[in-house]
Amino acid sequence: MFRKVLVANRGEIAVRVMRACEELNVGTVAIYSDADKDSGHVRYADEAYNVGPARAADSYLDHEAVIEAARKADADAIHPGYGFLAENAEFARKVEAEDGITWIGPSSDAMESLGEKTKARTIMKEADVPIVPGTTEPVAEPEEVEEFGEKHGYPIAIKAEGGGGGRGMKVVWDESEVEDQLESAKREGEAYFGNPSVYLERYLEKPRHIEVQILADEHGNVRHLGERDCSLQRRHQKVIEEAPSPALSDELREKIGESARRGVAAADYTNAGTVEFLVEEDPDREGVLGPDANFYFLEVNTRIQVEHCVTEEITGLDIVKRQIRIAAGEEIDFDQDDVEFDGHAIEFRINAENAANDFAPATGGRLETYDPPGGVGVRLDDALRQGDELVTDYDSMIAKLIVWGEDRDECIERSLRALREYRIDGIVTIIPFHRLMLTDETFVAGKHTTKYLDEEIDRSRIEDAQEQWGPEPDATGGDGEDEDVVEREFTVEVNGKRFEVELEERGAPAIPTGGAGGGGNSFAQRPESVGGSADSGGGSVEVEGGETVDAEMQGTILSVEVDEGDEVESGDVLVVLEAMKMENDIFAARGGTVSQIAVEEGESVDMGDTLVVLE
């Protein structure tokens, strides 16, 4: 077994992995960006290392900074969690090449073959796993998309090869949209995954999203742990997941589970993973979907999933501990027939979002009250605590509430009780939305599809729920003045070993230091972080006249769609901004001439930064 594991992630998943390590008597190492220096995963770990500025590309995605932190900590394994570098085959290969450091996950070769969707489709097709009609080679030109549309019809899904969770996917409803959507999918693929390659699939308009949890070891054993239903999504992002699916017959779930095992075995895959499928829903069904229902391979997630918890609740297996044991060379100690499913579990993503405002992410705030629920069958995976500031630089999920019941009805009743108990003041969350869904006729009947939230639900009901159960407007924080925080840097010796120590003092005057230049005061600065570089984020610009178009949230500039001197009209797209894993078009509110462009592609900006000036 390992001595010390570095968790190359943040937030609740980092704490989740560290808890598994604790139970295995393994030491834990956290990494953190400047934005996360006070975050819960840093508090929980045995030791922690700064890896760079807030911008993920300069910290959590910096390969060398993460590996250097592992070297400094003398860690002998790295667990990537999910997101960030979890499905980055290049990073996994670098870790594999390090002497004395083990990658806790599938091999880089398996990640590469299954992580790139066209390769994965080829593998699955050869393993006799049903796949959605589509391409097995990347497409680059609009004419290829148009030819596919002529053969298979519209709508068409254009998907980034390295994508997942709806990121890097665009839907083409007719030929007029081909060129714009192709370029957008390429751009997202490059921005999120460093890979602009895309492929095509026939777009299933109202499917169910079913995924199968897999464990595979280095001794040739492959097991599936049943399916999860992740059909309740907004903009292809999951919000509620459950196991088992309320829509599948036992015969159909067995067919899907065995298909997943067959495909993973053919890919020579090890460690944990998830095989995702789309199942065609029958809107007129009375009971569950029978064994003849159509299902198609979607993708393999070569990592732990956000929703792995519901599978743990119904199987009694700790999937993260299994990941660690498999990486250490241990053999899976149970047969497929030994896997038993007990009861029903539902997971609620507690996102800092306003569901009534199109799930817009919160832009700041402090947890003035954080009082999570408890009791029989209630589990909380989180990292925040009362008094913490909300970090808005990354994903909007702040916690996961997982509820178990002996059957689905009890699970829903217990979930309603737990959500009523869950009190968060200081930031907006989607708890009111979750309470609404547990009384929603379609969800309770288990007949929702991946399109239900985006296309079918009466949105006024979500607004009413937010008004009824959400926090008061002045209880969502983020608008007040923060007290001054002064950072003071000291060098100390402990048993003859030197340490550079930074201390924070709130409400104290800054200490002037003897900086170069002599005339004015300078102040202590943060030392360079491990492998990081100075953040080149956006900021204020000098504006001479004109009207500024400012960033409404923190994010990264994906593209600038105009040039200085261009004439624009109201509604024209000026800039494309990535924030909270979503691509956001920034529009001109009125017509005018572009007199100044204050940002460039790849630049990180904060809320309120000027993007474009119009005259």
Side-chain angles (χ1 to χ4, degrees):
M1 184 48 65
F2 306 113
R3 292 178 295 99
K4 188 186 295 187
V5 172
L6 181 143
V7 183
N9 218 293
R10 65 179 298 277
E12 63 82 20
I13 185 56
V15 173
R16 166 71 186 92
V17 175
M18 291 172 192
R19 284 174 169 155
C21 291
E22 285 281 329
E23 293 181 17
L24 293 170
N25 198 30
V26 174
T28 57
V29 182
I31 60 172
Y32 64 95
S33 71
D34 290 349
D36 268 336
K37 62 184 178 181
D38 298 318
S39 292
H41 72 287
V42 178
R43 294 191 296 260
Y44 191 92
D46 295 327
E47 51 190 295
Y49 292 80
N50 186 302
V51 289
R55 186 168 179 259
D58 299 325
S59 52
Y60 293 110
L61 296 176
D62 186 330
H63 297 191
E64 298 308 318
V66 175
I67 292 173
E68 179 61 19
R71 293 191 195 109
K72 286 193 171 188
D74 193 27
D76 55 350
I78 293 178
H79 192 301
Y82 51 70
F84 291 136
L85 296 171
E87 293 182 280
N88 189 305
E90 179 186 356
F91 177 70
R93 190 166 287 115
K94 289 178 180 178
V95 175
E96 290 167 345
E98 286 287 318
D99 288 337
I101 301 180
T102 299
W103 171 251
I104 300 178
S107 70
S108 56
D109 289 341
M111 290 176 68
E112 191 170 71
S113 61
L114 289 178
E116 292 192 5
K117 302 306 185 288
T118 52
K119 292 182 181 179
R121 285 168 58 84
T122 300
I123 291 170
M124 293 296 163
K125 187 175 182 180
E126 291 175 352
D128 197 29
V129 177
I131 63 172
V132 179
T135 61
T136 54
E137 295 294 331
V139 300
E141 302 299 330
E143 291 76 16
E144 297 175 86
V145 183
E146 292 167 0
E147 289 175 8
F148 185 87
E150 291 174 4
K151 181 177 180 180
H152 296 285
Y154 291 88
I156 301 169
I158 305 177
K159 295 186 172 184
E161 278 205 314
R167 298 184 296 280
M169 186 181 92
K170 298 295 173 183
V171 179
V172 181
W173 294 94
D174 59 58
E175 190 173 319
S176 66
E177 299 178 346
V178 166
E179 189 168 349
D180 287 345
Q181 297 290 55
L182 177 61
E183 289 306 311
S184 182
K186 287 181 179 179
R187 187 168 61 235
E188 280 196 15
E190 176 67 36
Y192 293 133
F193 313 107
N195 182 359
S197 294
V198 298
Y199 66 101
L200 308 178
E201 281 184 355
R202 182 168 71 86
Y203 184 65
L204 302 179
E205 294 194 51
K206 292 186 177 182
R208 299 192 72 89
H209 185 123
I210 304 295
E211 62 187 30
V212 178
Q213 177 69 56
I214 289 290
L215 286 176
D217 63 24
E218 297 172 358
H219 307 277
N221 300 302
V222 181
R223 307 285 185 262
H224 80 77
L225 307 184
E227 90 285 354
R228 299 185 287 258
D229 195 317
C230 308
S231 300
L232 200 73
Q233 306 176 6
R234 85 284 190 270
R235 300 194 298 277
H236 308 291
Q237 294 288 315
K238 305 164 188 173
V239 287
I240 296 178
E241 302 101 343
E242 59 184 308
S245 170
L248 306 188
S249 63
D250 289 340
E251 296 88 351
L252 181 57
R253 65 169 42 97
E254 184 60 25
K255 285 180 66 175
I256 295 174
E258 285 306 311
S259 291
R261 283 185 72 193
R262 196 163 59 242
V264 163
D268 195 24
Y269 186 93
T270 58
N271 214 268
T274 303
V275 187
E276 300 196 344
F277 296 89
L278 294 179
V279 179
E280 287 193 318
E281 176 64 278
D282 177 5
D284 299 321
R285 67 178 169 90
E286 293 296 326
V288 293
L289 293 168
D292 296 329
N294 292 325
F295 65 93
Y296 304 102
F297 168 75
L298 176 62
E299 63 185 6
V300 177
N301 286 288
T302 56
R303 54 172 169 79
I304 196 74
Q305 289 275 87
V306 175
E307 58 273 15
H308 73 277
C309 315
V310 292
T311 298
E312 292 179 329
E313 293 303 305
I314 66 168
T315 62
L317 295 170
D318 186 321
I319 297 171
V320 176
K321 285 168 68 172
R322 294 281 175 175
Q323 280 190 291
I324 297 169
R325 291 184 182 279
I326 289 171
E330 295 186 18
E331 186 172 359
I332 294 174
D333 58 0
F334 59 90
D335 294 327
Q336 185 62 55
D337 290 342
D338 295 331
V339 179
E340 296 182 353
F341 307 108
D342 178 27
H344 197 94
I346 302 178
E347 174 180 284
F348 304 88
R349 299 192 185 197
I350 309 301
N351 297 338
E353 298 174 355
N354 186 343
N357 186 23
D358 199 26
F359 292 91
T363 56
R366 181 196 298 267
L367 273 73
E368 305 296 345
T369 301
Y370 186 73
D371 188 8
V376 175
V378 175
R379 165 179 168 181
L380 251 296
D381 280 20
D382 59 11
L384 290 170
R385 293 296 177 263
Q386 188 161 301
D388 283 356
E389 294 282 350
L390 179 68
V391 176
T392 59
D393 298 82
Y394 314 108
D395 192 276
S396 61
M397 189 174 68
I398 60 173
K400 299 183 307 194
L401 170 65
I402 307 100
V403 180
W404 177 90
E406 291 188 5
D407 54 32
R408 192 169 187 259
D409 288 342
E410 182 181 67
C411 189
I412 288 175
E413 292 166 355
R414 184 169 287 161
S415 296
L416 276 169
R417 185 266 295 170
L419 287 164
R420 285 194 295 265
E421 287 182 13
Y422 207 155
R423 184 181 172 194
I424 300 178
D425 293 329
I427 60 174
V428 66
T429 73
I430 61 171
I431 289 175
F433 163 80
H434 289 317
R435 292 177 64 175
L436 169 67
M437 293 314 301
L438 292 179
T439 61
D440 179 84
E441 183 177 336
T442 300
F443 179 82
V444 171
K447 292 192 174 183
H448 54 288
T449 70
T450 59
K451 301 303 185 303
Y452 182 61
L453 291 184
D454 290 337
E455 299 176 6
E456 298 175 33
I457 194 169
D458 181 355
R459 301 200 65 80
S460 67
R461 296 175 58 218
I462 299 178
E463 295 167 5
D464 292 343
Q466 185 66 37
E467 183 176 349
Q468 181 178 358
W469 297 314
E472 296 295 327
D474 60 355
T476 55
D479 297 324
E481 293 275 338
D482 286 337
E483 60 184 330
D484 291 336
V485 179
V486 177
E487 293 185 356
R488 309 177 191 246
E489 183 181 335
F490 299 89
T491 301
V492 299
E493 285 191 7
V494 179
N495 294 329
K497 184 177 181 179
R498 288 175 68 88
F499 294 89
E500 300 297 324
V501 179
E502 292 177 7
L503 300 179
E504 287 185 356
E505 189 168 355
R506 297 180 180 271
I511 301 176
T513 62
N521 290 335
S522 59
F523 301 98
Q525 299 294 314
R526 175 176 296 278
E528 288 187 12
S529 52
V530 177
S533 58
D535 193 1
S536 57
S540 60
V541 298
E542 294 294 328
V543 178
E544 297 181 3
E547 179 177 306
T548 65
V549 179
D550 301 331
E552 297 181 355
M553 62 190 78
Q554 188 276 343
T556 302
I557 303 299
L558 290 184
S559 69
V560 179
E561 300 294 311
V562 293
D563 295 314
E564 290 186 4
D566 283 358
E567 296 288 335
V568 298
E569 298 180 358
S570 176
D572 285 351
V573 177
L574 305 176
V575 171
V576 180
L577 174 71
E578 182 272 325
M580 295 294 186
K581 301 182 181 178
M582 301 291 181
E583 185 172 315
N584 302 276
D585 292 332
I586 308 301
F587 300 98
R590 63 172 182 82
T593 302
V594 178
S595 63
Q596 189 176 353
I597 297 174
V599 292
E600 59 186 26
E601 288 186 15
E603 187 173 350
S604 179
V605 296
D606 290 321
M607 183 175 64
D609 285 352
T610 296
L611 307 177
V612 174
V613 182
L614 298 178
E615 289 186 347

